[in-house]
Amino acid sequence: MKILLTGGTGYIGSHTAIELINAGHDVEILDNLYNSKASVINKIAKITGIKPKFHQIDLLDNKKLDRLFKKSSLDAVIHFAGYKAVGESVEKPLKYYKNNVYGTISLLESMQKHNVNKIIFSSSATVYGTQEIVKYSEKMQTGAGITNPYSQTKYVIEQILKDLTIANPDFEAMTLRYFNPIGAHSSGLIGEDPNDIPNNLMPIIMKVAMGEIPELSVYGDDYDTPDGTPMRDYIHVVDLAKGHLSALNKIRPGFLAYNLGTGKATSVLEMIKAFEKASGKPLPHKITSRRPGDLAKFYADPSKAKKELGWHAELTIEDAMRDTLNYLANFR
Ligand code: WQD
């Protein structure tokens, strides 16, 4: 299939591009390079032997977007493009609603106009909001107790997709709810390399390891978990990328939601230990106060994706730490 990856030079998008190209799909990448670098295109070419066509376009630029759809005769879209800094979204909600929600509407209008009826959406486990249950299943309610505009945009976009499948029975929409992506491609050529100041645990660990940040602040060790630090479902980005390929192979009319996680929960201190074991060096860190909004623990029930997509995560935290260090070695 000919597939457009919006946000395809980003962390998840670039790893997904590699899996799609290796599976024989014809991939084109659209990105405005707000939080990624065009050099990723050449790295994808180096890894796969095929250089995907790249369009530096902002989804809010309807004219350029329309010209792309007119020229490219696409079969499907995988939609990664969106701002994703939770903290920033609280300070600047309009920036997030305009870019994430309106950008998606602009994309969907072009798709509709050019009869492109398949979309896979990059969503987030935070659409489940605040739940009593810590093991998230797709049967659970979404949208209640969401604590930030970023996650709210993911929820709203899922509702838009659902409504479109009701209005147009031929429309095929899948939403993939990511848990916590980590790791890098085994080549060491691509990995997490945000332009902005990272909020997430692993890119901060990477910056501490590179000496750019003196030490990691562990946001609280007084949670109701075995070692007191919060627990998350960390999934290797290559497993996550393969989940998109499995989803594409099963896309059909209607709205379908899948959790992409490992089904295991790991604490912050366990992540630090795993990184130290892989690097053979201590990682400077100190316990500080809790980060507002953090939940003690949540992780995926991945059984629906396994059953319906034939996909499950295969790589481990240790694999992710090894691949992250291998990627970091290229930065030296
Ligand atoms: C993980 C754990 C922190 C940094 C967020 C988004 C979610 C998704 C994944 C996009 C938490 C702790 C972190 C640090 C720390 N992103 N931590 N010190 O909060 O689970 O989820 O990223 O979809 O939408 O909400 O991930 O990586 O920010 O934090 O102790 O310097 O690491 O408290 O327990 P989170 P995270």
Side-chain angles (χ1 to χ4, degrees), residues 84 86 123-126 148 150-151 154 178-181 199-204 216-220 223 229-232 234 268 291 294-296 298:
K84 62 166 203 165
V86 168
S123 189
S124 164
T126 54
N148 62 83
Y150 154 79
S151 305
K154 293 295 186 182
Y178 305 165
F179 283 71
N180 291 59
N199 302 284
N200 294 137
L201 178 65
M202 275 313 295
I204 292 174
L216 170 75
S217 298
V218 176
Y219 297 143
Y223 287 91
T229 61
M231 301 179 81
R232 296 288 182 275
Y234 295 98
V268 177
R291 179 171 67 176
D294 274 351
L295 299 175
F298 64 87

Short mmCIF file of all heavy atoms in Angstrom, two decimals, residues 84 86 123-126 148 150-151 154 178-181 199-204 216-220 223 229-232 234 268 291 294-296 298, ligand 1:
data_model
loop_
_atom_site.label_atom_id
_atom_site.label_comp_id
_atom_site.label_asym_id
_atom_site.label_seq_id
_atom_site.Cartn_x
_atom_site.Cartn_y
_atom_site.Cartn_z
N LYS A 84 3.31 16.84 21.98
CA LYS A 84 3.06 15.80 22.99
C LYS A 84 3.66 16.10 24.36
O LYS A 84 3.83 15.20 25.19
CB LYS A 84 3.59 14.47 22.47
CG LYS A 84 5.07 14.44 22.23
CD LYS A 84 5.52 12.99 22.06
CE LYS A 84 6.98 12.86 22.36
NZ LYS A 84 7.40 11.50 22.56
N VAL A 86 3.15 17.07 27.83
CA VAL A 86 2.00 17.15 28.74
C VAL A 86 2.03 18.47 29.52
O VAL A 86 1.05 19.22 29.56
CB VAL A 86 2.04 15.94 29.70
CG1 VAL A 86 1.07 16.12 30.84
CG2 VAL A 86 1.76 14.67 28.93
N SER A 123 -2.46 7.30 19.33
CA SER A 123 -3.11 7.82 20.53
C SER A 123 -2.30 7.44 21.77
O SER A 123 -1.14 7.04 21.66
CB SER A 123 -4.55 7.27 20.62
OG SER A 123 -5.26 7.92 21.66
N SER A 124 -2.91 7.61 22.92
CA SER A 124 -2.15 7.47 24.17
C SER A 124 -2.99 6.81 25.24
O SER A 124 -4.21 7.03 25.32
CB SER A 124 -1.74 8.87 24.63
OG SER A 124 -1.33 8.84 25.98
N ALA A 125 -2.35 6.06 26.09
CA ALA A 125 -3.05 5.40 27.21
C ALA A 125 -3.67 6.43 28.14
O ALA A 125 -4.56 6.11 28.92
CB ALA A 125 -2.06 4.55 27.99
N THR A 126 -3.25 7.69 28.02
CA THR A 126 -3.82 8.69 28.94
C THR A 126 -5.26 9.05 28.57
O THR A 126 -5.91 9.76 29.33
CB THR A 126 -2.97 9.98 28.93
OG1 THR A 126 -2.83 10.42 27.59
CG2 THR A 126 -1.59 9.73 29.53
N ASN A 148 -4.92 16.68 31.43
CA ASN A 148 -4.17 17.71 30.69
C ASN A 148 -4.67 17.84 29.25
O ASN A 148 -5.21 16.88 28.68
CB ASN A 148 -2.68 17.35 30.69
CG ASN A 148 -2.44 16.02 29.99
OD1 ASN A 148 -2.33 15.97 28.77
ND2 ASN A 148 -2.39 14.94 30.74
N TYR A 150 -3.14 17.96 26.42
CA TYR A 150 -2.52 17.05 25.42
C TYR A 150 -3.35 15.77 25.33
O TYR A 150 -3.79 15.36 24.26
CB TYR A 150 -1.08 16.71 25.81
CG TYR A 150 -0.63 15.39 25.24
CD1 TYR A 150 -0.23 15.29 23.92
CD2 TYR A 150 -0.66 14.24 26.02
CE1 TYR A 150 0.13 14.07 23.38
CE2 TYR A 150 -0.30 13.02 25.49
CZ TYR A 150 0.09 12.93 24.17
OH TYR A 150 0.43 11.70 23.65
N SER A 151 -3.59 15.15 26.47
CA SER A 151 -4.35 13.89 26.49
C SER A 151 -5.79 14.12 26.04
O SER A 151 -6.39 13.26 25.38
CB SER A 151 -4.33 13.29 27.90
OG SER A 151 -2.99 13.15 28.34
N LYS A 154 -6.02 13.94 22.35
CA LYS A 154 -6.00 12.55 21.86
C LYS A 154 -7.41 11.96 21.96
O LYS A 154 -7.91 11.30 21.05
CB LYS A 154 -5.02 11.70 22.67
CG LYS A 154 -3.56 12.06 22.49
CD LYS A 154 -3.09 11.81 21.07
CE LYS A 154 -1.60 12.02 20.92
NZ LYS A 154 -1.14 11.83 19.54
N TYR A 178 -0.80 4.12 22.89
CA TYR A 178 0.56 3.77 23.32
C TYR A 178 0.68 3.86 24.83
O TYR A 178 0.10 4.77 25.43
CB TYR A 178 1.59 4.75 22.76
CG TYR A 178 1.62 4.94 21.28
CD1 TYR A 178 2.29 6.02 20.74
CD2 TYR A 178 0.97 4.07 20.39
CE1 TYR A 178 2.35 6.22 19.37
CE2 TYR A 178 1.01 4.27 19.02
CZ TYR A 178 1.70 5.36 18.52
OH TYR A 178 1.75 5.56 17.17
N PHE A 179 1.50 3.02 25.42
CA PHE A 179 1.86 3.18 26.81
C PHE A 179 3.16 3.98 26.84
O PHE A 179 3.15 5.13 26.34
CB PHE A 179 1.84 1.81 27.50
CG PHE A 179 0.41 1.43 27.77
CD1 PHE A 179 -0.44 1.07 26.71
CD2 PHE A 179 -0.14 1.54 29.03
CE1 PHE A 179 -1.79 0.79 26.93
CE2 PHE A 179 -1.49 1.26 29.27
CZ PHE A 179 -2.32 0.89 28.21
N ASN A 180 4.27 3.45 27.32
CA ASN A 180 5.45 4.33 27.40
C ASN A 180 6.55 3.85 26.46
O ASN A 180 7.29 2.93 26.81
CB ASN A 180 5.95 4.38 28.85
CG ASN A 180 4.97 5.13 29.73
OD1 ASN A 180 3.80 4.77 29.84
ND2 ASN A 180 5.43 6.22 30.33
N PRO A 181 6.69 4.46 25.29
CA PRO A 181 7.69 4.02 24.31
C PRO A 181 9.11 4.31 24.78
O PRO A 181 9.38 5.42 25.28
CB PRO A 181 7.36 4.84 23.06
CG PRO A 181 6.01 5.45 23.31
CD PRO A 181 5.87 5.58 24.78
N ASN A 199 10.39 15.67 28.57
CA ASN A 199 9.68 15.49 29.85
C ASN A 199 9.77 14.03 30.28
O ASN A 199 9.61 13.71 31.44
CB ASN A 199 8.17 15.77 29.66
CG ASN A 199 7.92 17.16 29.15
OD1 ASN A 199 8.02 18.11 29.90
ND2 ASN A 199 7.65 17.29 27.87
N ASN A 200 9.94 13.15 29.26
CA ASN A 200 9.81 11.72 29.56
C ASN A 200 11.06 11.16 30.23
O ASN A 200 12.17 11.68 30.04
CB ASN A 200 9.49 10.95 28.28
CG ASN A 200 8.12 11.30 27.71
OD1 ASN A 200 7.97 11.48 26.53
ND2 ASN A 200 7.13 11.42 28.59
N LEU A 201 10.87 10.06 30.95
CA LEU A 201 11.94 9.49 31.76
C LEU A 201 13.17 9.12 30.94
O LEU A 201 14.30 9.55 31.26
CB LEU A 201 11.42 8.25 32.50
CG LEU A 201 12.46 7.52 33.36
CD1 LEU A 201 12.94 8.40 34.51
CD2 LEU A 201 11.87 6.21 33.90
N MET A 202 12.99 8.36 29.85
CA MET A 202 14.15 7.84 29.13
C MET A 202 14.99 8.94 28.45
O MET A 202 16.21 8.94 28.60
CB MET A 202 13.74 6.77 28.12
CG MET A 202 13.63 5.38 28.73
SD MET A 202 15.02 4.88 29.78
CE MET A 202 16.34 4.84 28.58
N PRO A 203 14.40 9.90 27.72
CA PRO A 203 15.25 10.95 27.16
C PRO A 203 15.99 11.75 28.24
O PRO A 203 17.11 12.22 27.99
CB PRO A 203 14.29 11.82 26.37
CG PRO A 203 12.94 11.31 26.61
CD PRO A 203 13.03 10.00 27.26
N ILE A 204 15.40 11.85 29.43
CA ILE A 204 16.11 12.56 30.51
C ILE A 204 17.26 11.70 31.02
O ILE A 204 18.38 12.17 31.21
CB ILE A 204 15.13 12.97 31.63
CG1 ILE A 204 14.18 14.06 31.09
CG2 ILE A 204 15.88 13.49 32.86
CD1 ILE A 204 13.08 14.47 32.00
N LEU A 216 19.43 12.80 37.59
CA LEU A 216 18.00 12.56 37.35
C LEU A 216 17.23 12.83 38.65
O LEU A 216 17.64 12.36 39.73
CB LEU A 216 17.77 11.10 36.94
CG LEU A 216 16.31 10.63 36.88
CD1 LEU A 216 15.61 11.21 35.64
CD2 LEU A 216 16.22 9.12 36.86
N SER A 217 16.15 13.59 38.57
CA SER A 217 15.27 13.75 39.74
C SER A 217 14.22 12.65 39.67
O SER A 217 13.51 12.55 38.65
CB SER A 217 14.56 15.11 39.69
OG SER A 217 15.52 16.14 39.75
N VAL A 218 14.15 11.84 40.70
CA VAL A 218 13.11 10.79 40.76
C VAL A 218 11.91 11.41 41.47
O VAL A 218 11.99 11.77 42.65
CB VAL A 218 13.62 9.56 41.54
CG1 VAL A 218 12.51 8.53 41.69
CG2 VAL A 218 14.83 8.96 40.83
N TYR A 219 10.82 11.58 40.70
CA TYR A 219 9.68 12.36 41.22
C TYR A 219 8.86 11.56 42.24
O TYR A 219 7.78 11.09 41.96
CB TYR A 219 8.77 12.79 40.07
CG TYR A 219 9.41 13.69 39.05
CD1 TYR A 219 9.09 13.56 37.70
CD2 TYR A 219 10.34 14.68 39.41
CE1 TYR A 219 9.66 14.39 36.73
CE2 TYR A 219 10.91 15.51 38.46
CZ TYR A 219 10.57 15.36 37.13
OH TYR A 219 11.14 16.17 36.18
N GLY A 220 9.42 11.42 43.43
CA GLY A 220 8.66 10.82 44.53
C GLY A 220 8.91 9.33 44.69
O GLY A 220 8.93 8.57 43.72
N TYR A 223 4.93 6.44 46.70
CA TYR A 223 3.72 5.91 46.08
C TYR A 223 3.44 4.51 46.61
O TYR A 223 4.35 3.87 47.18
CB TYR A 223 3.88 5.84 44.54
CG TYR A 223 3.82 7.19 43.86
CD1 TYR A 223 4.98 7.92 43.64
CD2 TYR A 223 2.61 7.72 43.42
CE1 TYR A 223 4.94 9.17 43.00
CE2 TYR A 223 2.56 8.95 42.79
CZ TYR A 223 3.72 9.66 42.57
OH TYR A 223 3.66 10.89 41.94
N THR A 229 8.30 4.01 43.99
CA THR A 229 8.31 4.87 42.80
C THR A 229 7.25 4.38 41.80
O THR A 229 6.91 3.19 41.78
CB THR A 229 9.72 4.88 42.12
OG1 THR A 229 10.07 3.56 41.69
CG2 THR A 229 10.76 5.42 43.08
N PRO A 230 6.73 5.32 40.97
CA PRO A 230 5.62 4.97 40.07
C PRO A 230 6.01 3.91 39.05
O PRO A 230 7.18 3.78 38.69
CB PRO A 230 5.31 6.30 39.36
CG PRO A 230 5.88 7.36 40.23
CD PRO A 230 7.07 6.75 40.88
N MET A 231 5.01 3.16 38.62
CA MET A 231 5.25 2.06 37.67
C MET A 231 4.50 2.32 36.37
O MET A 231 3.36 2.76 36.37
CB MET A 231 4.80 0.73 38.29
CG MET A 231 5.55 0.43 39.58
SD MET A 231 5.03 -1.12 40.35
CE MET A 231 5.99 -2.28 39.36
N ARG A 232 5.19 2.02 35.23
CA ARG A 232 4.60 2.22 33.91
C ARG A 232 4.87 1.01 33.03
O ARG A 232 5.73 0.18 33.35
CB ARG A 232 5.23 3.45 33.24
CG ARG A 232 4.96 4.77 33.95
CD ARG A 232 3.52 5.21 33.79
NE ARG A 232 3.25 6.50 34.41
CZ ARG A 232 2.94 6.69 35.69
NH1 ARG A 232 2.84 5.64 36.50
NH2 ARG A 232 2.70 7.91 36.16
N TYR A 234 6.56 0.12 29.95
CA TYR A 234 7.54 0.63 28.98
C TYR A 234 7.65 -0.35 27.83
O TYR A 234 8.00 -1.51 28.04
CB TYR A 234 8.89 0.83 29.67
CG TYR A 234 8.87 1.90 30.75
CD1 TYR A 234 8.72 1.54 32.09
CD2 TYR A 234 8.93 3.24 30.44
CE1 TYR A 234 8.66 2.51 33.09
CE2 TYR A 234 8.87 4.22 31.43
CZ TYR A 234 8.73 3.84 32.76
OH TYR A 234 8.66 4.81 33.74
N VAL A 268 10.35 3.34 38.39
CA VAL A 268 11.40 4.27 38.00
C VAL A 268 12.75 3.75 38.50
O VAL A 268 13.74 3.72 37.75
CB VAL A 268 11.12 5.68 38.56
CG1 VAL A 268 12.25 6.64 38.24
CG2 VAL A 268 9.80 6.21 38.02
N ARG A 291 5.66 14.64 40.97
CA ARG A 291 5.27 15.53 39.86
C ARG A 291 3.74 15.54 39.84
O ARG A 291 3.11 14.47 39.79
CB ARG A 291 5.80 15.00 38.54
CG ARG A 291 5.44 15.81 37.33
CD ARG A 291 6.18 15.36 36.08
NE ARG A 291 5.75 14.01 35.67
CZ ARG A 291 6.19 13.41 34.56
NH1 ARG A 291 7.09 14.00 33.78
NH2 ARG A 291 5.76 12.21 34.24
N ASP A 294 0.96 12.83 38.23
CA ASP A 294 1.47 11.47 38.01
C ASP A 294 0.60 10.44 38.73
O ASP A 294 0.20 10.67 39.88
CB ASP A 294 2.91 11.34 38.53
CG ASP A 294 3.91 11.78 37.47
OD1 ASP A 294 3.50 12.01 36.32
OD2 ASP A 294 5.10 11.90 37.78
N LEU A 295 0.37 9.33 38.05
CA LEU A 295 -0.37 8.24 38.68
C LEU A 295 0.64 7.23 39.24
O LEU A 295 1.76 7.13 38.73
CB LEU A 295 -1.28 7.56 37.66
CG LEU A 295 -2.35 8.46 37.01
CD1 LEU A 295 -3.11 7.70 35.93
CD2 LEU A 295 -3.31 9.01 38.06
N ALA A 296 0.24 6.48 40.27
CA ALA A 296 1.16 5.53 40.91
C ALA A 296 1.53 4.41 39.94
O ALA A 296 2.70 4.06 39.80
CB ALA A 296 0.51 4.94 42.16
N PHE A 298 0.08 2.28 36.12
CA PHE A 298 -0.85 1.77 35.12
C PHE A 298 -0.06 1.03 34.06
O PHE A 298 1.11 1.34 33.82
CB PHE A 298 -1.76 2.86 34.53
CG PHE A 298 -1.08 3.94 33.76
CD1 PHE A 298 -0.80 3.80 32.40
CD2 PHE A 298 -0.72 5.14 34.38
CE1 PHE A 298 -0.19 4.81 31.68
CE2 PHE A 298 -0.10 6.16 33.67
CZ PHE A 298 0.17 6.00 32.32
C1 WQD B 1 7.41 8.07 33.53
C2 WQD B 1 7.73 7.94 35.00
C3 WQD B 1 7.53 9.96 36.28
C4 WQD B 1 10.92 12.07 34.41
C5 WQD B 1 3.83 10.47 29.55
C6 WQD B 1 2.61 11.05 28.92
C7 WQD B 1 1.94 10.03 28.04
C8 WQD B 1 2.92 9.36 27.12
C9 WQD B 1 4.14 8.82 27.84
C10 WQD B 1 2.66 10.28 24.94
C11 WQD B 1 6.76 8.72 35.88
C12 WQD B 1 8.96 9.47 36.26
C13 WQD B 1 9.97 11.10 34.71
C14 WQD B 1 11.87 12.44 35.40
C15 WQD B 1 10.89 10.87 36.91
N1 WQD B 1 3.35 10.25 26.12
N2 WQD B 1 9.96 10.52 35.94
N3 WQD B 1 11.81 11.82 36.61
O1 WQD B 1 4.14 10.42 32.69
O2 WQD B 1 3.95 7.90 32.31
O3 WQD B 1 3.47 9.46 30.44
O4 WQD B 1 4.69 9.94 28.57
O5 WQD B 1 1.71 9.63 24.63
O6 WQD B 1 0.95 10.68 27.30
O7 WQD B 1 1.71 11.38 29.94
O8 WQD B 1 5.80 9.18 31.22
O9 WQD B 1 8.21 9.37 30.93
O10 WQD B 1 6.92 11.41 31.75
O11 WQD B 1 7.25 9.46 33.27
O12 WQD B 1 10.85 10.33 38.04
O13 WQD B 1 12.76 13.33 35.19
O14 WQD B 1 9.02 8.50 35.23
O15 WQD B 1 7.18 10.42 37.58
O16 WQD B 1 6.50 7.97 37.04
P1 WQD B 1 4.31 9.24 31.80
P2 WQD B 1 7.10 9.93 31.75
#
